[in-house]
Amino acid sequence: MRILVVYWHPEPQSFNGAMFRTACETLVGVGHEVKTSNLHEMHFDPVSSRKNFTMIKDPNYLKQQIEEMHATETNGFSAEIETEVQKIEWCDMMIWQFPLWWFGLPAVLKGWVDRVFAMGRIYNFEHIYETGVFRGKRALLSLTTGGPEEAYRKEGFNGDITAILRPIQRGMLQFAGFDVLAPQIVYAPVRMMEEQRKQHLTDYAVRLQRISDESPIDVGAH
Ligand code: FAD
């Protein structure tokens, strides 16, 4: 398979960094082709503006989706956006590696989605969800939390992790047509002993070796 790993964490020595490197090394090791978007290393700018585009539809009023539709028709995306879109178009599977921040994606990764998931190119009026542009591709969230696993059960003080991930798994990935695999979640790596963290890295590597055999999950459509 062709696999894109998108990753953001401000510290390369973080546990997220270790998960990212584990994924890349494991997937290459079993013969997959891997491309990466290491957003921190790339200094990816998450702020949308006219710099998303090389072409202009309306110079007087910036309406992002109108400009995105125009850029789709005129090949008018800036190089940094075009490069990222082409990586998604290239891949069979996409992995996002990130720490859960405020029950969601950290801002740089969210900004990557805001800028790269462009109307016209990534979705349009006819192509969303089951008819999405990227149907047939798979996606996997790999994340860490600060809170412990019991806090993310239905009766836990944070509530069900599936509900927390729904805006990402349903609102972004399935919206664009991806089939979503079960998320890889390492709860509270900070609170673990070194050996437990290493075991999680090993477990992730073992899972990734057989990732092409997995079936998508139900992320809760309604
Ligand atoms: P790190 O602290 O980088 O790593 C943990 C430990 O792993 C460190 O000791 C590190 O040295 C060690 N390590 C690194 N590499 C390896 C290796 N190869 N082998 C073994 N050990 C290794 N948490 C929530 O639950 N919900 C939230 O909504 C939430 N919001 C947040 C918002 C903000 C703005 C911030 C800053 C944090 C938030 N958190 C939240 C906490 C956050 O999710 C966790 O701190 C984060 O997920 C932990 O992952 P990390 O990679 O940063 O861990």
Side-chain angles (χ1 to χ4, degrees):
M1 279 199 295
R2 294 185 292 204
I3 302 176
L4 170 62
V5 188
V6 184
Y7 154 65
W8 182 84
H9 193 288
E11 171 54 63
Q13 300 175 83
S14 64
F15 190 70
N16 272 266
M19 292 287 282
F20 169 65
R21 288 186 292 278
T22 296
C24 297
E25 288 161 16
T26 303
L27 294 166
V28 169
V30 293
H32 297 299
E33 280 181 75
V34 173
K35 289 188 181 181
T36 61
S37 290
N38 182 340
L39 302 180
H40 179 70
E41 192 178 86
M42 290 158 64
H43 302 290
F44 186 83
D45 181 351
V47 179
S48 261
S49 70
R50 287 214 182 268
K51 71 179 181 306
N52 293 8
F53 314 106
T54 57
M55 309 296 270
I56 296 174
K57 171 82 170 176
D58 183 347
N60 298 315
Y61 193 110
L62 174 59
K63 176 89 176 155
Q64 182 165 328
Q65 289 170 309
I66 299 284
E67 295 297 333
E68 287 173 347
M69 301 274 274
H70 184 61
T72 301
E73 287 161 11
T74 58
N75 197 21
F77 289 103
S78 66
E80 69 176 328
I81 303 300
E82 183 64 35
T83 302
E84 296 306 300
V85 174
Q86 286 187 14
K87 285 189 218 171
I88 303 173
E89 290 170 344
W90 167 87
C91 78
D92 304 306
M93 182 171 120
M94 180 166 69
I95 299 175
W96 290 357
Q97 178 66 52
F98 60 95
L100 188 72
W101 275 16
W102 295 115
F103 277 23
L105 298 176
V108 179
L109 180 51
K110 174 59 165 51
W112 180 86
V113 178
D114 292 344
R115 295 186 68 201
V116 173
F117 275 38
M119 189 174 194
R121 186 77 173 268
I122 299 269
Y123 67 95
N124 57 49
F125 295 118
E126 285 98 45
H127 297 291
I128 53 171
Y129 296 119
E130 289 75 16
T131 59
V133 170
F134 294 138
R135 63 195 175 282
K137 296 183 192 286
R138 292 157 166 238
L140 165 65
L141 299 184
S142 176
L143 59 137
T144 61
T145 68
E149 183 168 7
E150 55 271 24
Y152 285 100
R153 296 194 188 121
K154 275 201 177 103
E155 66 286 1
F157 61 77
N158 286 330
D160 186 7
I161 190 71
T162 306
I164 290 169
L165 296 180
R166 188 174 176 279
I168 309 170
Q169 298 194 132
R170 178 72 180 157
M172 300 174 201
L173 296 169
Q174 284 192 342
F175 184 78
F178 285 93
D179 288 325
V180 174
L181 301 182
Q184 183 77 19
I185 307 174
V186 181
Y187 293 97
V190 180
R191 303 179 192 207
M192 288 176 191
M193 305 296 285
E194 180 82 356
E195 288 315 306
Q196 285 176 283
R197 285 194 292 263
K198 289 200 183 313
Q199 187 60 50
H200 277 284
L201 293 169
T202 303
D203 293 347
Y204 187 36
V206 169
R207 180 184 178 191
L208 289 176
Q209 284 166 5
R210 304 282 306 272
I211 199 71
S212 41
D213 299 343
E214 289 194 17
S215 300
I217 57 160
D218 177 4
V219 305
H222 302 289

